[in-house]
Amino acid sequence: MGKEKLSFKEVHHSHSPKTTLWWFFLVATCIKVLLFPSYRSTDFEVHRNWLALTHSLPLSQWYFDETSPWTLDYPPFFAYFERFLSIFAHLIDPQIVHLQEGLNYSSNKVVYFQRVTAILSDLSLLYGVYRLTRNLDSKKQKLVWSLIIWSPVLFIVDHVHFQYNGFLIGILLISLSYLEEGRDLLGGCIFAVLLCFKHLFAVAAPVYFIYLLRHYVWGGMIRGFSRLLIMGGVVTAVFASAFGPFFYLGQIEQVIRRLFPFGRGLCHAYWAPNFWVFYIMSDKGLAFILRKLGFNIQMPAASFTAGLVGDSSPFSVLPQIKPYVTFIMVLLALSPCLFKAWKNPQPQMISRWIAYAYTCGFLFGWHVHEKASLHFVIPLAIVAPQTPEDARHYFLLSIVSCYSNFPLLFEAQEYPIKVLLLLLHSILMWSGFSAQFYVGAETARAPSTISKKKADEFGSEDSWGETVKKKNGFVIGWTERIYLIGLVVVEIWGQILHPLILGDKFAFAPLMLISIYCAFGIMYSWIWQLISIVKYL
């Protein structure tokens, strides 16, 4: 009889969080494999060329090569990562890593190889999620896992369009996990590693600097100075290992020029839904009104998305925006968060602060890609299950972020995929948050046993009866509902009504409408996060 029964230890191990997490990853991997035959973006050729140049050329030529228009513009650690992958690519098909013959090579071998590397590199995301959630209760763990590992934006951006965001965000989450544990030196070191993989994550560097200075370094002359030297030495060592060879070759200026191509313009080709959308539309609106009033307003010769900085202004009325202006605006937007991090550096707040920093960078930064919304949506998934307010905010933000990336997949055969991913994600979020914040029948039967504050938190402020009716715990307000309905209206217009009514006229209008409408949602998220950080947290 004893042999027929599993021991408690065996039962516990069979249902361990690690095992469950691997099942989450396995389900995600199956979906990613099913997406293999889908849309192939130019990013496949970008990364194939980086495989080829790092494999075929000596390190001294990596940041000078112009064989392809898709030149290397990521920091050295990512170049080393491509060099590592090129070893296996060469074994699979030598043409993949041939600098000349491999140009625009798009056989199934190279595409499937790249898709597999994106899946395997997501192991860093898996580890980061595990470290950040291992001390949470089972219900919260599974909710966070579903929000991140099954993120529809990651599926769309990394595993259809193709990039390595999951790999890089995984490194960020690992860094945050160490900071939350109070292991500041390791957390700062891993963030330095991340910057040497992709420099655009540097938007959060001011928060890291202030937090680590106050939480790790501060505390007495001798102790503070020694810790400053230790942290400075570790970060310096990381950057030296990345950039040292290029510094030795006298190529730092060329590397920096590649990493920061400010001539690309204020906005990306498809306008990311941020503050600059409103600025651009205000300029166009003012120019239209002034022309109607008889003023001689010249049409701009420059573009928002291309051209050299300073050649001419792409604005008709409003002042030209230069890179340093966006830099100042990001810092100003960050300042309340930096003040909080200095005044009260709490490890449990670091994920919120970092997410807020990336929101500021997305809203006010220079030449922002719509894919950069991942930088704040994924960290916010960590805190979403903490309160009903966090959950409501995340529910809206996650949907807006996913929808704003729809234009990345513009071919008809991918349309059902992105719609289905968003719908499934919305249902998953709703059911997950409802289960997390379920009050229970006994609470509904005895409202006098809970505080008015708790009732307001889960239901309506109008009456106790309204709280009983909303005992499921997760509801969104009418403003959020109307906004989400508006997303459906925008999509119906772009997909059906615009082609039906206007045909090929104003072909850019549906994309512009998506960008503008989603920008309202991202602005709402930024304001919500700012108020939460300043007033309540």
Side-chain angles (χ1 to χ4, degrees):
M1 183 175 179
K3 291 182 179 179
E4 293 176 355
K5 291 185 177 181
L6 291 172
S7 68
F8 171 79
K9 184 176 180 181
E10 289 172 328
V11 172
H12 176 73
H13 179 72
S14 65
H15 295 88
S16 67
K18 289 183 181 179
T19 304
T20 307
L21 182 58
W22 276 111
W23 276 109
F24 273 73
F25 185 76
L26 179 62
V27 171
T29 300
C30 291
I31 296 172
K32 294 167 187 176
V33 171
L34 290 174
L35 295 173
F36 272 17
S38 58
Y39 167 71
R40 301 178 182 182
S41 71
T42 54
D43 277 342
F44 280 99
E45 175 58 18
V46 172
H47 289 276
R48 189 219 55 80
N49 182 60
W50 293 359
L51 290 172
L53 71 88
T54 54
H55 187 272
S56 304
L57 298 175
L59 181 142
S60 60
Q61 297 179 33
W62 287 1
Y63 287 94
F64 285 90
D65 180 70
E66 295 183 351
T67 304
S68 165
W70 313 115
T71 54
L72 181 62
D73 58 4
Y74 272 33
F77 274 177
F78 200 90
Y80 303 154
F81 173 67
E82 294 277 9
R83 178 65 181 90
F84 172 73
L85 295 180
S86 73
I87 298 171
F88 303 98
H90 182 265
L91 295 175
I92 292 171
D93 185 349
Q95 190 173 346
I96 297 175
V97 293
H98 196 287
L99 198 60
Q100 300 291 342
E101 295 179 8
L103 284 175
N104 299 312
Y105 184 48
S106 59
S107 73
N108 284 337
K109 284 184 181 180
V110 61
V111 172
Y112 289 179
F113 170 77
Q114 289 179 296
R115 289 203 184 279
V116 169
T117 61
I119 292 173
L120 293 177
S121 66
D122 278 349
L123 289 172
S124 72
L125 182 70
L126 189 72
Y127 182 62
V129 170
Y130 166 72
R131 284 197 54 83
L132 274 168
T133 60
R134 58 182 176 173
N135 295 323
L136 298 179
D137 63 74
S138 177
K139 187 185 291 186
K140 283 187 179 179
Q141 275 185 339
K142 292 173 183 176
L143 179 54
V144 173
W145 296 346
S146 65
L147 295 178
I148 296 179
I149 297 173
W150 295 344
S151 167
V153 190
L154 275 177
F155 284 137
I156 290 172
V157 174
D158 279 14
H159 303 285
V160 178
H161 188 267
F162 184 70
Q163 279 194 345
Y164 291 97
N165 290 286
F167 167 61
L168 298 170
I169 293 173
I171 299 174
L172 174 67
L173 298 187
I174 294 169
S175 171
L176 293 177
S177 71
Y178 282 115
L179 294 184
E180 288 193 0
E181 292 174 3
R183 301 169 71 179
D184 294 342
L185 188 61
L186 258 177
C189 175
I190 293 173
F191 181 68
V193 170
L194 175 62
L195 296 186
C196 294
F197 269 100
K198 190 171 184 180
H199 53 302
L200 299 182
F201 282 92
V203 174
V207 178
Y208 266 87
F209 177 78
I210 294 296
Y211 175 81
L212 292 174
L213 182 64
R214 190 71 170 88
H215 191 261
Y216 177 76
V217 174
W218 212 254
M221 180 73 72
I222 297 176
R223 175 180 176 273
F225 185 70
S226 62
R227 287 198 167 191
L228 181 63
L229 287 179
I230 293 170
M231 180 64 76
V234 168
V235 172
T236 301
V238 170
F239 276 87
S241 63
F243 292 91
F246 302 96
F247 183 83
Y248 175 78
L249 294 168
Q251 297 179 357
I252 285 296
E253 184 178 346
Q254 173 65 15
V255 173
I256 298 300
R257 189 180 297 115
R258 282 285 183 87
L259 298 185
F260 298 98
F262 290 117
R264 288 181 177 177
L266 176 63
C267 297
H268 189 43
Y270 159 62
W271 299 348
N274 61 13
F275 171 80
W276 300 117
V277 170
F278 302 120
Y279 191 85
I280 293 169
M281 295 311 299
S282 298
D283 179 77
K284 292 184 178 296
L286 286 172
F288 177 78
I289 293 171
L290 291 175
R291 287 193 196 99
K292 289 294 183 181
L293 294 175
F295 290 91
N296 184 21
I297 304 298
Q298 299 296 322
M299 293 293 291
S303 168
F304 294 106
T305 61
L308 297 175
V309 174
D311 281 359
S312 60
S313 174
F315 298 102
S316 301
V317 180
L318 296 178
Q320 178 185 2
I321 302 299
K322 294 187 177 181
Y324 75 85
V325 175
T326 62
F327 178 76
I328 293 171
M329 290 186 67
V330 171
L331 281 181
L332 287 175
L334 267 177
S335 56
C337 180
L338 299 178
F339 176 77
K340 283 285 185 177
W342 177 262
K343 185 179 179 182
N344 190 12
Q346 305 173 58
Q348 66 270 23
M349 291 296 299
I350 191 65
S351 293
R352 292 181 184 268
W353 292 337
I354 295 303
Y356 174 75
Y358 287 125
T359 307
C360 294
F362 185 88
L363 272 179
F364 305 110
W366 178 268
H367 198 78
V368 174
H369 289 242
E370 64 279 7
K371 295 167 279 191
S373 62
L374 278 167
H375 295 179
F376 55 88
V377 171
I378 297 298
L380 280 173
I382 303 295
V383 301
Q386 293 185 8
T387 68
E389 289 76 17
D390 287 319
R392 284 191 286 269
H393 165 250
Y394 186 83
F395 182 81
L396 179 68
L397 175 63
S398 183
I399 291 174
V400 171
S401 170
C402 184
Y403 183 68
S404 70
N405 282 277
F406 268 25
L408 286 176
L409 309 183
F410 52 85
E411 294 184 353
Q413 59 265 33
E414 273 74 46
Y415 187 78
I417 294 174
K418 59 187 182 183
V419 172
L420 185 60
L421 285 173
L422 179 53
L423 287 176
L424 290 175
H425 180 63
S426 301
I427 295 169
L428 188 66
M429 283 195 295
W430 188 275
S431 59
F433 289 140
S434 295
Q436 174 66 31
F437 299 111
Y438 180 74
V439 179
E442 54 280 345
T443 300
R445 287 195 300 268
S448 59
T449 61
I450 60 175
S451 67
K452 179 66 166 64
K453 180 180 179 181
K454 202 70 175 176
D456 292 345
E457 184 176 77
F458 287 99
S460 169
E461 295 183 3
D462 296 335
S463 66
W464 288 96
E466 184 70 3
T467 302
V468 173
K469 285 192 289 185
K470 293 179 179 178
K471 63 183 179 181
N472 280 347
F474 181 70
V475 291
I476 59 174
W478 279 107
T479 305
E480 289 86 353
R481 295 180 196 179
I482 293 171
Y483 179 82
L484 291 176
I485 292 171
L487 285 178
V488 178
V489 174
V490 169
E491 184 65 8
I492 291 173
W493 170 261
Q495 293 296 321
I496 301 173
L497 299 180
H498 183 95
L500 192 65
I501 298 171
L502 298 176
D504 294 333
K505 295 180 180 178
F506 308 110
F508 62 90
L511 288 179
M512 187 174 67
L513 186 59
I514 292 174
S515 184
I516 294 170
Y517 195 79
C518 289
F520 282 105
I522 302 295
M523 285 291 290
Y524 160 80
S525 172
W526 174 69
I527 294 169
W528 187 93
Q529 291 180 64
L530 178 60
I531 292 173
S532 299
I533 288 171
V534 172
K535 189 174 180 180
Y536 299 111
L537 302 174

